[in-house]
Amino acid sequence: MGITSRMIPTEDASARKREIEEKLKQEQETLSFIRENLEKSDQLTKGMVSILSSFESRLMQLENSIIPVHKQTENLQRLQENVDKTLSCMDHVISYYHVAKDTDRIIREGPTGRLDEYLACIAKIQKAVEYFQDNNPDSPELNTVKARFEKGKELLEAEFRSLLTRYSKPVPPILILDAISVDDELEVQEEVVLEHLPEAVLQDIICIAGWLVEYGRNQDFMNVYFQIRSNQLDRSIKGLKDHFRKNSASSGILYSPAVQTKRKDTPTKKAPKRPGTIRKAQNLLKQYSQHGLDGKKGGSNLTPLEGYDHDLRVKHHCDALTEKHGAASGKDDVLDIEIDSYIHCISAFVKLAQSEYSLLTEIIPEHHQKKTFDSLIQEALDNLMLEGDNIVSAARRAIMRHDYSAVLTIFPILRHLKLNKSEFDSTLQGTAASTKNKLPTLITSMETIGAKALEEFADSIKNDPDKEYNMPKDGTVHELTSNAILFLQQLLDFHETAGAMLASQESSLSATSYTSDFNKKLLSTYICKVLGNLQLNLLSKSKVYEDSALSAIFLHNNYNYILKSLEKSELIQLVTVTQKTAERSYKELIEQQIHTYKSSWLKVTEHLTDRNMPVFQPGTKLKDKERQVIKDKFKGFNDGLEELCKIQKGWAIPDKEQRDFIRRSQKKVVSDAYRTFLQRCANISFTKNPEKYHKYRPEEVEEMIEKLFDTSA
């Protein structure tokens, strides 16, 4: 092991020496190579210097030779350019002679699908026409390119019509409803954009219209435009109307489902407000007008009021009305749908017309826009106005039949027309006066016929005949009263419209006098007139009853019903505008009738008084005449009590509060007088059979009175 260790360093040194020697040899070779290359480089440098010197001398010789040649060439180039320009002009001129041939295929095939290329061809033809007109007006080529230009213009007009016809579609009803509906829950309404044409198609139409105006010198395309768009506008509105007829009957009120998809977290949009009782009012008023005024049928139509009981008689009465007027109710449902449909169509027309005008401004030249728009909306507007005139005519015919419920169909429509009149006028701004006046004319017609219906209704209340078979046998509320009040209650929902109706008929007033307060005062005066006529008629009708007590109950029921109805519906606030003491006056009338009714019991209680009562000392034997007086008093009281209870049990006081009050007060008066009478007769021996005369205990008398006005007892 020791020998091996000493040999290792010696071997490393030898290897190291050999490595150094090899590197040295390589470096020497590299140095020798560099020297050789330097020598070659020097030789090349000397050769290059020699070549450059020779090139410089030759270049100088060439320059001296070229400069004269260059000047000659420059002159030749100028001549060449002149020749080229001349040839170019010749080619340009010759091209005009080939325009008809070159554009023939494209013109024949038309602009569909390649409008830009087609317009470029038309531009070439137009330039050829201008060239020949300026330079060779008598050439046959001019007629050729003119014919080709006219053909191209005709095809552009045809393309304009084709694009409009193909892509103009009625606006879907759901989209229209979205556009016209108002969501009360949203502070900022989301505007619904009505896109009538695809954007690419619209740009093509705009391009064609621009060309026809600028180069075509043709306005016929404007007629084509308004005819096609007018048809689509009318179809959109008719589609909305059909949508109502198909869907409103089942759902009652139409909503737009598109709203829910766009704003799922927001409440459903509300439809335009319409009174919920209008259909009921129409039904009842039709029954009244057809049966009450004509005298063909009696009965009463009680509208439920707080505090009023509906016993079996009322239930049977309502069932009978339901059976007899079920078919009429279906017609009223249809009428309600038609009214809602018309109101929505008015709003739809305004929105669609505004959208059409916005579209029109992109296509039609500015100075033709108003006239084209006027023509575009005529068909749809005329149809709406015709429908409105039909409503007025139907109302007029109904009023002639004394069917005053027809005015209720006018109220919501008229209110909607007046609320939207400013927007309507703004939309029609710039159109012809005849167009602008159509809506005001319809409004005037509706106000006139509405005011006529109101006045005739007031007169009918006054002149309703007093027919015995038309009177309620139980003295309850008369049909005339319930229908009159029901009619007046509808005026609350349309008080501004009804007031304006009445004001419109005041010939002494100018339009500026139709203030809200003045209209309110006019309506208050009208309501008071109806109530006054009703009161006079009821007073006249009450005389039909032979029994003054039943007459008093009848008037009491009607006056009380009127007062409660006024208070419940807040009509009283409208009445007090012109009659401050109306509420107190009705209360006084009610009290008077209660007092008159109570006097009917005097023929019962008069037997209990001291009049003709014999004076006697305790233990003294009465004379036969004196005993007979007491017997007669007992008999008179018993017979009178039984007779009144039997009769008045069949009378009606629907108001529970009033019924209980009258029973209590009457029980107290009669029972107190009866008890006092019994006490006076307690120690008097006036008969051997006292039970024959003393038939009722005071408690039994009270029970009998408690059963008054109750047919089920």
Side-chain angles (χ1 to χ4, degrees):
M1 289 294 292
I3 295 174
T4 305
S5 301
R6 284 194 298 268
M7 289 176 68
I8 292 173
T10 303
E11 293 176 356
D12 290 342
S14 299
R16 180 67 176 165
K17 181 179 179 182
R18 284 194 300 271
E19 184 181 347
I20 292 171
E21 287 175 352
E22 288 176 359
K23 286 185 178 180
L24 180 60
K25 184 178 179 181
Q26 290 176 356
E27 293 294 333
Q28 288 174 347
E29 291 175 354
T30 302
L31 180 60
S32 175
F33 177 76
I34 292 172
R35 285 175 180 172
E36 289 176 0
N37 282 303
L38 285 174
E39 289 176 359
K40 290 179 181 180
S41 178
D42 289 342
Q43 291 175 0
L44 290 172
T45 299
K46 290 177 182 180
M48 181 60 69
V49 169
S50 174
I51 291 170
L52 288 175
S53 298
S54 174
F55 181 76
E56 183 179 3
S57 63
R58 291 180 181 181
L59 188 60
M60 289 179 65
Q61 292 175 0
L62 180 63
E63 183 179 353
N64 293 332
S65 302
I66 286 298
I67 287 176
V69 175
H70 173 70
K71 290 181 180 179
Q72 292 177 0
T73 304
E74 195 173 43
N75 291 333
L76 290 173
Q77 285 178 338
R78 193 176 297 111
L79 292 173
Q80 180 66 38
E81 287 176 0
N82 290 336
V83 171
D84 289 342
K85 288 181 179 179
T86 302
L87 291 174
S88 176
C89 288
M90 290 296 295
D91 289 340
H92 181 67
V93 170
I94 292 171
S95 69
Y96 288 132
Y97 288 85
H98 296 288
V99 163
K101 180 181 178 181
D102 294 341
T103 60
D104 180 65
R105 181 181 60 83
I106 294 176
I107 295 300
R108 279 190 291 104
E109 293 177 355
T112 304
R114 51 176 178 183
L115 182 62
D116 292 340
E117 181 183 2
Y118 190 86
L119 290 177
C121 285
I122 292 287
K124 289 181 182 180
I125 297 171
Q126 187 175 11
K127 287 181 180 179
V129 172
E130 293 171 355
Y131 171 80
F132 288 119
Q133 285 177 336
D134 294 339
N135 297 282
N136 193 3
D138 297 328
S139 66
E141 286 79 6
L142 176 59
N143 295 331
T144 302
V145 292
K146 271 188 173 181
R148 190 59 46 85
F149 181 80
E150 291 300 321
K151 179 65 175 178
K153 185 171 71 172
E154 289 177 8
L155 291 177
L156 275 176
E157 293 172 356
E159 180 69 2
F160 183 86
R161 178 189 294 273
S162 175
L163 288 175
L164 268 180
T165 304
R166 194 181 320 137
Y167 292 100
S168 291
K169 305 295 181 186
V171 181
I174 295 299
L175 192 59
I176 297 176
L177 288 171
D178 279 344
I180 65 177
S181 58
V182 176
D183 192 338
D184 295 336
E185 302 295 329
L186 294 177
E187 294 182 2
V188 179
Q189 297 297 321
E190 181 180 339
E191 185 176 357
V192 178
V193 179
L194 302 177
E195 184 179 289
H196 298 285
L197 296 168
E199 183 61 28
V201 174
L202 175 60
Q203 293 306 318
D204 282 351
I205 290 175
I206 293 172
C207 186
I208 295 174
W211 189 93
L212 290 173
V213 170
E214 185 175 357
Y215 302 110
R217 309 288 194 274
N218 191 343
Q219 297 181 6
D220 290 343
F221 77 94
M222 300 181 197
N223 296 331
V224 171
Y225 179 84
F226 89 71
Q227 289 169 2
I228 294 174
R229 294 306 308 169
S230 174
N231 183 48
Q232 297 307 322
L233 173 61
D234 190 53
R235 287 177 61 192
S236 296
I237 295 175
K238 287 179 178 176
L240 178 62
K241 193 180 301 181
D242 292 340
H243 188 63
F244 262 90
R245 289 170 180 164
K246 292 176 183 176
N247 296 282
S248 293
S250 58
S251 60
I253 297 177
L254 211 58
Y255 296 98
S256 172
V259 180
Q260 300 173 6
T261 59
K262 287 187 287 187
R263 295 188 297 273
K264 293 183 180 179
D265 297 333
T266 60
T268 306
K269 285 187 178 181
K270 299 177 182 178
K273 181 182 177 184
R274 293 205 51 223
T277 57
I278 188 169
R279 186 180 304 156
K280 177 180 178 184
Q282 289 172 327
N283 289 342
L284 292 178
L285 286 169
K286 282 183 179 179
Q287 294 164 18
Y288 161 63
S289 63
Q290 293 170 2
H291 302 295
L293 282 178
D294 297 336
K296 295 178 181 178
K297 182 181 177 182
S300 64
N301 289 330
L302 276 175
T303 302
L305 285 175
E306 186 177 348
Y308 275 70
D309 283 342
H310 287 267
D311 55 20
L312 190 60
R313 291 175 295 105
V314 177
K315 180 180 184 301
H316 289 165
H317 176 69
C318 292
D319 290 343
L321 284 179
T322 301
E323 181 179 353
K324 293 181 180 180
H325 299 283
S329 176
K331 293 181 180 178
D332 290 321
D333 289 342
V334 173
L335 180 60
D336 273 352
I337 294 170
E338 292 297 330
I339 294 172
D340 280 337
S341 172
Y342 187 70
I343 288 174
H344 280 78
C345 286
I346 290 291
S347 297
F349 171 80
V350 174
K351 186 64 66 176
L352 290 171
Q354 291 171 347
S355 180
E356 285 290 347
Y357 187 75
S358 177
L359 176 66
L360 178 144
T361 56
E362 297 187 65
I363 299 171
I364 304 300
E366 183 176 358
H367 55 288
H368 291 287
Q369 289 173 1
K370 292 295 184 181
K371 183 179 178 181
T372 305
F373 178 67
D374 195 344
S375 301
L376 189 154
I377 62 174
Q378 282 303 315
E379 183 177 3
L381 181 59
D382 285 344
N383 287 338
L384 283 176
M385 295 302 107
L386 178 61
E387 190 172 349
D389 290 338
N390 290 338
I391 292 172
V392 172
S393 298
R396 186 178 289 109
R397 291 192 298 271
I399 292 169
M400 292 176 65
R401 299 192 305 269
H402 306 294
D403 176 10
Y404 302 108
S405 67
V407 73
L408 297 178
T409 66
I410 289 179
F411 274 125
I413 295 174
L414 180 58
R415 179 173 67 179
H416 188 74
L417 291 178
K418 297 184 80 170
L419 286 175
N420 289 272
K421 185 178 182 299
S422 60
E423 191 174 7
F424 211 102
D425 292 342
S426 176
T427 302
L428 300 185
Q429 186 177 6
T431 58
S434 58
T435 302
K436 295 178 185 176
N437 291 333
K438 287 181 179 179
L439 182 66
T441 301
L442 178 60
I443 289 175
T444 300
S445 298
M446 287 191 169
E447 285 185 329
T448 301
I449 196 65
K452 178 179 175 64
L454 291 177
E455 290 302 323
E456 290 200 11
F457 179 78
D459 292 341
S460 72
I461 296 297
K462 180 179 180 180
N463 300 321
D464 186 62
D466 307 327
K467 297 180 179 179
E468 184 175 354
Y469 60 81
N470 198 37
M471 298 293 290
K473 305 302 181 185
D474 54 4
T476 188
V477 179
H478 195 278
E479 184 180 29
L480 178 68
T481 303
S482 60
N483 284 296
I485 292 299
L486 190 60
F487 187 90
L488 294 180
Q489 285 173 345
Q490 306 311 307
L491 301 186
L492 282 176
D493 293 314
F494 304 100
H495 61 276
E496 294 182 359
T497 304
M501 268 185 186
L502 297 169
S504 68
Q505 304 306 302
E506 296 288 330
S507 57
S508 61
L509 297 175
S510 63
T512 55
S513 302
Y514 297 168
T515 63
S516 178
D517 289 341
F518 179 78
N519 294 350
K520 188 175 183 180
K521 188 174 293 185
L522 275 181
L523 182 59
S524 176
T525 302
Y526 171 78
I527 292 174
C528 291
K529 177 183 177 181
V530 172
L531 292 176
N533 289 349
L534 178 60
Q535 184 176 336
L536 289 173
N537 199 309
L538 289 173
L539 190 60
S540 176
K541 289 182 184 302
S542 68
K543 296 175 183 178
V544 172
Y545 295 112
E546 296 179 359
D547 192 329
S548 61
L550 179 55
S551 176
I553 289 295
F554 170 76
L555 290 175
H556 163 272
N557 284 334
N558 282 272
Y559 293 154
N560 185 62
Y561 180 82
I562 293 171
L563 179 60
K564 287 290 181 70
S565 300
L566 294 179
E567 292 173 339
K568 181 184 178 185
S569 64
E570 300 179 357
L571 267 172
I572 192 67
Q573 297 173 4
L574 201 53
V575 170
T576 53
V577 171
T578 52
Q579 286 196 8
K580 305 294 183 183
T581 61
E583 189 172 6
R584 187 179 67 194
S585 298
Y586 274 111
K587 288 181 178 178
E588 290 175 354
L589 288 171
I590 292 169
E591 290 175 0
Q592 289 175 10
Q593 300 310 316
I594 292 176
H595 178 74
T596 301
Y597 163 73
K598 287 182 177 180
S599 64
S600 67
W601 282 82
L602 291 177
K603 62 183 179 180
V604 175
T605 56
E606 69 179 356
H607 297 290
L608 306 178
T609 63
D610 291 337
R611 188 167 62 88
N612 297 328
M613 192 73 174
V615 179
F616 55 88
Q617 296 296 328
T620 305
K621 186 177 180 181
L622 295 178
K623 298 177 181 179
D624 291 342
K625 184 178 181 181
E626 292 173 336
R627 286 196 299 272
Q628 188 61 42
V629 168
I630 296 176
K631 290 178 182 179
D632 290 342
K633 282 182 174 290
F634 267 105
K635 186 177 186 304
F637 172 77
N638 293 334
D639 293 345
L641 176 66
E642 292 170 355
E643 180 185 0
L644 282 186
C645 287
K646 180 180 179 181
I647 294 173
Q648 296 184 7
K649 183 176 68 172
W651 297 355
I653 300 181
D655 188 337
K656 185 177 185 302
E657 182 181 342
Q658 287 290 312
R659 183 168 66 243
D660 292 345
F661 169 74
I662 292 174
R663 283 172 175 171
R664 284 196 306 271
S665 60
Q666 201 57 47
K667 278 193 300 184
K668 179 173 176 56
V669 171
V670 176
S671 64
D672 286 354
Y674 189 49
R675 282 189 172 91
T676 302
F677 177 74
L678 291 179
Q679 288 175 359
R680 287 200 302 269
C681 299
N683 299 319
I684 300 175
S685 177
F686 63 92
T687 179
K688 295 180 180 179
N689 301 311
E691 66 278 357
K692 177 181 177 181
Y693 297 98
H694 188 188
K695 294 174 63 175
Y696 303 105
R697 292 179 292 106
E699 293 78 13
E700 291 175 329
V701 172
E702 291 180 355
E703 289 178 4
M704 293 172 70
I705 296 175
E706 186 64 31
K707 294 179 181 179
L708 296 178
F709 319 117
D710 186 359
T711 56
S712 62

